[in-house]
Amino acid sequence: MKVNLLKCMACGKEYPDAPDRYVCDKCGIDGILDVVYDYKSIKISREEIAASKNYSLWRYRKMLPVADSTQIAPLQVGWTPLYRASAVEKVHGLSHVYIKDDGRNPTASLKDRASAVGIAKAREAGASIICAASTGNAASSLAGFAASAGLKTVIFVPKRAPRAKVTQLLVYGAKTVIVDDCYDRAFELSVETTKKFGFYNRNCAYNPFLVEGKKTVAYEIWEQLGFEIPDRVYVSIGDGCITSGIYKGFYDLIQLGLADRLPRIIGVQAAGCNPVEVAMKTGEFVAQQGNTIADSIAVGIPRNRLKAMRALKESNGDCISVTDDEIKSALLEMPRSTGVFGEPAGVTAFAGFKKHALASNIRTDEKVVVLITGNGLKDIESAISVCTLPQPVAPDSATIEKHVKTLV
Ligand SMILES: *Cc1c(COP(=O)(O)O)cnc(C)c1O
Ligand SMILES: [Zn+2]
């Protein structure tokens, strides 16, 4: 889709489209830009989309800010399954609950949607080294995509990033900097480094094009529901980029005449790190120290909060929080009732959904989508901490028989 301009979310100043124009000159890091399209530049119909045999996010290539001639990375991303969660419907007396499993992406999180577009924009900018900071998933995603595209990466992660995510960086060959501090500091250092070294910046909460990759999850939900808009989408919030992307995707569909309304976007944060919830309630943003088992959303200074709050407000949505105990319950309840295993931040959306369902906040006929943003194998330490590991059993038939009787 033709980009008209890039517009500052804080002051409204407009900038011409360029792959390496990141933030507003006046507002700096708080002035994240929004990609504004010339919606009249494309004609697209449901029939044309439905006829596509490309089962990846590139089936929506016409609706993305990537030139036709730009080479894209080979990893297959998007078109993740949308499952009907019948057992969950039954438990809560609801009629339409769906689980969108974005842990099925190539590096096992929704971040791959952003990386796919990020790599394309880095190519348009002529960059050879890409840099990012991440709680873990954006890092492992960038590392995988860069490897597939033959580009180099320098990646900053906080000390507490789970081992599986750091391992992904190492196996993909990313130059990895483990910052002896929290994500928010790793983020600042990565921005500083991109400026000093001229690296391409793949921070979703800095580079405006990355949210445009994340918006494809909204297109897919719409298409997979038979070209229908759900009533609610539950999503966990860290920096707020996924939330912004969901809004942008549905907003695009309305502008293109393909849909006529937004779903209510319900953001879910961890109670130990809920700056967006507080800002929504009080109108005032206060930085926090992130403290939650859900490492991917342990973001005390959500950099894309302006875009995320616009998404929550304009969709008549809300931001709620759940405790770590509620997240831990969801770590088991979700896989046991749906077959989908999510990491703590991935099941946070499910915990928020459950909280609303138990409070009878959801009408029984509403169509609800719960977005699972990351795979459970990303953080097995957290998952196993809520399980009981069985003791080894003597390997003789009689003991096994006796033992199995105690299980069933
Ligand atoms: C990054 C991430 C989030 C939060 O996304 P934001 O765009 O930072 O709000 C949630 N869940 C998982 C698994 C993530 O990796
Ligand atoms: Zn500005």
Side-chain angles (χ1 to χ4, degrees):
M1 214 146 50
K2 191 175 168 299
V3 175
N4 263 347
L5 50 92
L6 307 172
K7 185 170 178 181
C8 176
M9 287 297 299
C11 75
K13 191 166 164 31
E14 297 176 348
Y15 295 89
D17 178 30
D20 51 0
R21 158 58 68 183
Y22 303 119
V23 292
C24 175
D25 289 337
K26 221 171 81 203
C27 308
I29 211 163
D30 289 326
I32 295 187
L33 305 177
D34 189 23
V35 180
V36 179
Y37 294 97
D38 174 11
Y39 288 104
K40 292 195 188 69
S41 69
I42 65 159
K43 292 252 172 310
I44 192 150
S45 65
R46 294 175 180 197
E47 291 71 24
E48 180 185 337
I49 293 170
S52 171
K53 297 230 165 21
N54 185 337
Y55 294 104
S56 81
L57 60 72
W58 297 109
R59 72 195 275 106
Y60 309 107
R61 184 162 183 156
K62 265 178 127 173
M63 294 142 90
L64 291 168
V66 174
D68 291 344
S69 57
T70 304
Q71 200 192 345
I72 56 174
L75 288 183
Q76 180 158 338
V77 52
W79 201 252
T80 56
L82 181 77
Y83 297 118
R84 185 83 185 259
S86 317
V88 179
E89 291 170 358
K90 218 174 255 166
V91 168
H92 295 292
L94 299 172
S95 48
H96 304 279
V97 179
Y98 298 86
I99 300 283
K100 175 76 169 161
D101 182 12
D102 248 52
R104 283 276 295 267
N105 278 306
T107 76
S109 83
L110 187 145
K111 298 292 193 292
D112 288 339
R113 296 180 186 274
S115 294
V117 170
I119 291 282
K121 296 311 282 184
R123 282 221 167 102
E124 289 179 5
S128 58
I129 302 182
I130 310 180
C131 180
S134 160
T135 53
N137 282 336
S140 42
S141 174
L142 172 60
F145 274 80
S148 81
L151 295 165
K152 292 200 175 72
T153 49
V154 175
I155 296 180
F156 292 73
V157 288
K159 194 173 48 180
R160 66 163 296 186
R163 274 171 76 80
K165 299 179 186 179
V166 175
T167 304
Q168 284 182 295
L169 298 183
L170 304 179
V171 299
Y172 285 130
K175 303 291 181 206
T176 304
V177 184
I178 298 181
V179 178
D180 194 2
D181 204 334
C182 64
Y183 165 67
D184 301 291
R185 185 67 190 133
F187 177 88
E188 287 164 2
L189 289 167
S190 78
V191 171
E192 221 175 279
T193 305
T194 55
K195 285 184 187 154
K196 272 186 201 150
F197 289 82
F199 300 156
Y200 192 74
N201 191 316
R202 181 249 175 264
N203 284 328
C204 200
Y206 190 75
N207 180 331
F209 294 104
L210 296 170
V211 162
E212 304 303 307
K214 289 185 171 182
K215 76 183 180 183
T216 55
V217 75
Y219 297 164
E220 288 176 20
I221 290 170
W222 165 74
E223 183 172 358
Q224 290 169 325
L225 284 175
F227 299 109
E228 274 192 40
I229 301 294
D231 296 295
R232 292 173 188 243
V233 179
Y234 285 83
V235 56
S236 59
I237 298 186
D239 268 316
C241 307
I242 301 177
T243 305
S244 311
I246 292 172
Y247 168 82
K248 189 63 170 285
F250 289 115
Y251 177 87
D252 282 353
L253 294 174
I254 295 172
Q255 300 308 312
L256 292 167
L258 295 167
D260 56 7
R261 67 188 175 102
L262 295 170
R264 295 179 71 184
I265 302 171
I266 314 290
V268 187
Q269 292 207 288
C273 188
N274 66 339
V276 175
E277 183 190 25
V278 171
M280 285 289 287
K281 295 215 159 85
T282 64
E284 218 170 300
F285 170 72
V286 183
Q288 293 186 9
Q289 299 288 333
N291 182 20
T292 165
I293 185 178
D295 67 287
S296 297
I297 52 170
V299 180
I301 308 173
R303 308 282 174 179
N304 228 342
R305 57 183 179 272
L306 292 180
K307 250 185 223 181
M309 286 166 69
R310 173 182 72 177
L312 301 174
K313 283 177 193 154
E314 295 199 359
S315 73
N316 188 27
D318 199 358
C319 188
I320 60 174
S321 61
V322 290
T323 63
D324 274 13
D325 280 343
E326 289 171 309
I327 294 172
K328 285 181 187 165
S329 301
L331 266 178
L332 296 182
E333 266 175 52
M334 204 189 70
R336 289 175 187 185
S337 57
T338 67
V340 176
F341 179 24
E343 66 164 90
V347 305
T348 296
F350 186 86
F353 152 75
K354 188 182 148 196
K355 189 171 180 170
H356 266 176
L358 290 176
S360 301
N361 196 298
I362 307 172
R363 277 196 338 265
T364 55
D365 62 340
E366 283 189 75
K367 267 205 178 88
V368 180
V369 175
V370 181
L371 179 57
I372 307 308
T373 42
N375 192 289
L377 294 175
K378 287 275 198 174
D379 180 7
I380 54 167
E381 298 305 327
S382 293
I384 208 148
S385 77
V386 291
C387 298
T388 313
L389 197 61
Q391 291 303 309
V393 182
D396 65 85
S397 303
T399 313
I400 294 289
E401 186 183 340
K402 221 170 94 196
H403 182 68
V404 172
K405 277 189 181 148
T406 67
L407 301 179
V408 293

